[in-house]
Each structure stands twice: as C-alpha cells, then as structure tokens.
C-alpha cells in the first residue's frame, strides 16, 4: 500500500543476459536478493537466459556436423542447466509473490528453435518455450524479435541497431523509450522529440565475464558490465529507471549492501 499512495502503480525488475550455465553466480545472487527486498509486481527477463552451446550452429562452422545422437546428450545437459538457473530466479520470485512474469526470447534461446526446425519431430521437447517450461513457470512468452510494452516503456532482447552508440541508434530508428540486453554493456542515451523526451537503456549482462568462459573473443578486451534495472511505473504510463550495477559480485540497494559472494 505504501508505494501506491506515492503514485507508483507497479514496480518491475528487469534482468539481462544470464547465459546459464555460464552465468556469474555472485551477480545472480545479487539479483535474487534484490527481488526479495524489492518484491516487484513485474519481472521481465530480456532473454539469452541460456548459452545453449549444444544447439549452436557456430560450433560446426569449420567442422562436419555429427549425427543427431551425438548432439542430443549435450543439448539435454543444456536443458537441465538452464532450468536449474531459472529455478534460482523463480525461487526468489515465488518468495516475493511476483506473479506477472515475462520472458523475451534472445538470439541464443532461438538456437533451440532453429535446432527444432532441422529436426521437427523434436518440437514438443526442445523448442525454447517448452524445454524451459515457460507456461508451467507462469511466464508470458515473447518470441524472438517481439516487443513487450509496459506503460511508455518498450522492451526486447536487443539484436537490432548495433554500433558503438547502439542506444542512440535505437532511439533514432525506433523513436520510443526502449530497454534491451544483448550487447552486454551498460549504456544510456536520451533525445527530446516534439512529443517529449525519450531514452534508451542497454542493461549489461549477468554472464560470467572471464576470459576462460568467453574464449570465442580470442583474448580481446570487452566493455561488458553486470547490472539489472528497477523500473517504477506511474499513472499515465510514465516511469523511472534505476540501473543497479554489480561490481565483483557486490551492489547496494535501498541502503543495504548486497554481497553475492557469500
């Protein structure tokens, strides 16, 4: 009741790319604790919840693709690990009694759909929304490329409009308030149009950022950061965004230090 009196209609927690089982567990612990502190009305996952290496087409780029019976054990392992990761988040959402949950499919998640398209008889078991049990978990599913709009904020995974200034590119191309993941870095841009100010937010990631878990970068340095967002929605669809950055598995929220390493 407290925040309703202050004009906040709904409060959301929005999380970016986790890439289970390659998620950064201290960062995930910070998110879990934040959910339990904030008790959001809404939870939004911006996608790439799994790494899905077993179904990745990139691994066969310079090799002959092996028979299906060789691939399936690796894909089954991915399904188990991603579900374990989602269980961690759902545990905290259940404690917070957060019922309104959204999953926006990422490009890595879509690899499972592409795998099913090659093997359509595996549809029921391996399509992304089914293998992570989104319906049973209570998530509303937004397929790859679809936009979720809450109030005056639009959210999607974020595979469009790349470049160094990708938030500005999103603003110029879409002309709306937009929040996304995918790029793994924290970035914000704003612009004022004739109908008012609009902003774009890139929310970083929650993936293990170590070189060992990202060998495909070939040792290149990156600008990734761990973060998530708290979004307060007010009457008329207006909203405020608080980006919560996580440094070495630690952050602070509402005066409380959260140490995800413990």
């Amino acid at each position: 009741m407290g925040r309703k009196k202050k004009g906040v209609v709904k409060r959301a927690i929005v999380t970016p790319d986790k890439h289970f089982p390659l998620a950064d567990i201290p960062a995930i612990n910070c998110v879990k604790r934040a959910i339990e502190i904030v008790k959001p009305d809404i939870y939004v996952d911006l996608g790439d919840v799994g790494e899905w290496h077993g179904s990745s087409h990139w691994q066969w780029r310079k090799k002959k693709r092996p028979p299906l019976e060789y691939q399936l054990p690796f894909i089954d392992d991915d399904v188990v690990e991603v579900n374990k990761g989602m269980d961690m988040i759902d545990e905290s959402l259940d404690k917070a009694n957060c019922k309104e949950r959204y999953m926006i499919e990422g490009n890595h998640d879509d690899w499972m759909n592409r795998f099913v398209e090659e093997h359509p008889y595996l549809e029921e078991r391996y399509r992304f929304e089914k293998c992570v049990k989104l319906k049973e978990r209570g998530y509303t599913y937004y397929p790859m490329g679809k936009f979720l709009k809450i109030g005056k904020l639009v959210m999607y995974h974020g595979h469009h409009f790349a470049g160094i200034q990708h938030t500005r590119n999103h603003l110029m191309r879409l002309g709306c308030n937009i929040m996304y993941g995918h790029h793994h870095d924290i970035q914000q841009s704003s612009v004022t149009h004739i109908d008012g100010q609009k902003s774009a937010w890139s929310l970083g990631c929650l993936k293990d950022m170590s070189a060992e878990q990202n060998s495909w970068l070939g040792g290149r340095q990156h600008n990734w950061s761990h973060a998530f967002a708290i979004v307060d929605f007010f009457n008329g669809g207006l909203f405020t965004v608080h980006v919560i950055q996580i440094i070495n598995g630690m952050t602070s929220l509402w005066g409380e230090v959260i140490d995800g390493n413990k």
Side-chain angles (χ1 to χ4, degrees), residues 53-174:
H53 178 72
S55 58
S56 170
H57 56 286
W58 294 106
Q59 64 178 312
W60 312 118
R61 191 171 40 169
K62 297 180 180 179
K63 306 174 187 176
K64 182 179 179 181
R65 186 185 293 268
L68 179 61
E69 57 268 28
Y70 176 88
Q71 298 178 64
L72 278 179
F74 298 102
I75 292 174
D76 286 337
D77 287 345
D78 285 346
V79 171
V80 169
E81 293 300 324
V82 174
N83 275 282
K84 284 181 182 178
M86 289 194 66
D87 288 346
M88 294 175 65
I89 300 295
D90 286 352
E91 178 187 39
S92 294
L93 292 173
D94 290 342
K95 287 181 180 179
N97 196 32
C98 178
K99 304 292 187 184
E100 190 173 344
R101 308 177 188 185
Y102 298 93
M103 174 64 72
I104 302 172
E105 189 172 76
N107 58 300
H108 278 249
D109 305 322
D110 188 49
W111 290 352
M112 291 297 282
N113 300 330
R114 296 187 186 189
F115 172 74
V116 165
E117 288 169 5
E118 293 181 15
H119 309 282
Y121 46 91
L122 298 176
E123 166 86 18
E124 288 301 315
R125 183 172 178 181
Y126 292 106
R127 184 166 288 279
F128 170 67
E129 65 177 305
K130 295 178 179 178
C131 72
V132 295
K133 300 175 282 192
L134 292 182
K135 185 176 181 180
E136 295 89 333
R137 293 177 182 277
Y139 284 78
T140 300
Y141 167 58
Y142 279 71
M144 178 77 170
K146 298 297 182 181
F147 295 86
L148 166 65
K149 186 177 182 183
I150 302 176
K152 294 186 177 182
L153 176 62
V154 176
M155 290 169 275
Y156 87 122
H157 176 61
H159 53 283
H160 298 321
F161 316 128
I164 295 175
Q165 295 295 329
H166 47 85
T167 48
R168 185 161 184 81
N169 290 342
H170 275 79
L171 279 177
M172 295 299 102
R173 298 292 188 88
L174 297 178

